[in-house]
Amino acid sequence: MSPNQSSDTSSTAVLEREHLRKAGDPGAKDRILVVDDERGICHNVEKILTKNNYEVTHALSAQEALEKMAKESFSLLISDIVMPGQNGLELLKLAKKEWPLTKAIMMTAYASTSTALKAIRLGALDYIPKPFTPDELRTSVENALSGKLIEAPT
């Protein structure tokens, strides 16, 4: 492939696939990628959100998330911050660079003001401390996907 050709995994190609998917099915569900190194957290978030008619996929690491994002399009990324290898903030930075239209929410059991500010500055729409209730998660997701939350200017 020449440098002037776009690869099939480029952000443009992924966004185009998402647009065509939704255009072909007006009732298409928003697709959400949940990233946490704890399988139980991924399962619980998936269980909560699928009840609200979202299509949820999970990844157990930032690397796995990036691989999935390169192949599939997602409306929303929900990621833990503290994970082995690449942390959630590094994932957020890479995801917003490559897929700027994908919205993001960060979650962590180690909540701090400085980490929350850093996440917001990197493009997260919300920051949820663990443990959270199903209602807190649903409200954050609904607000992010509806446009009620907007990214901070960079």
Side-chain angles (χ1 to χ4, degrees):
M1 176 184 311
S2 77
N4 294 333
Q5 292 177 311
S6 65
S7 73
D8 190 39
T9 61
S10 73
S11 61
T12 305
V14 170
L15 290 172
E16 186 174 308
R17 284 196 306 264
E18 175 68 3
H19 174 73
L20 291 173
R21 182 184 73 82
K22 283 196 168 188
D25 181 5
K29 299 176 183 181
D30 281 306
R31 302 185 76 233
I32 299 172
L33 177 61
V34 178
V35 188
D36 197 305
D37 58 309
E38 295 180 52
R39 190 178 303 273
I41 298 288
C42 290
H43 176 74
N44 288 339
V45 170
E46 185 172 350
K47 187 175 173 181
I48 292 165
L49 295 178
T50 53
K51 287 181 181 177
N52 285 75
N53 209 30
Y54 295 113
E55 185 178 328
V56 182
T57 301
H58 72 269
L60 298 174
S61 69
Q63 185 60 42
E64 183 183 353
L66 291 168
E67 290 168 7
K68 287 185 178 197
M69 291 179 81
K71 294 176 186 167
E72 304 174 53
S73 58
F74 296 94
S75 303
L76 180 66
L77 168 69
I78 302 174
S79 178
D80 188 19
I81 291 179
V82 179
M83 298 184 289
Q86 283 181 316
N87 68 39
L89 293 176
E90 292 166 339
L91 169 61
L92 174 62
K93 188 174 182 178
L94 291 168
K96 292 307 290 183
K97 180 181 178 188
E98 188 65 29
W99 301 283
L101 297 181
T102 299
K103 298 175 180 186
I105 295 172
M106 303 306 287
M107 56 184 177
T108 185
Y110 305 99
S112 74
T113 303
S114 66
T115 306
L117 286 172
K118 190 177 283 187
I120 299 301
R121 286 185 184 130
L122 288 172
L125 295 173
D126 205 356
Y127 180 90
I128 308 172
K130 293 182 200 173
F132 46 80
T133 67
D135 283 340
E136 289 170 329
L137 176 64
R138 281 191 290 265
T139 298
S140 181
V141 168
E142 288 167 10
N143 287 340
L145 290 173
S146 71
K148 289 181 182 175
L149 298 175
I150 58 169
E151 285 184 31
T154 54

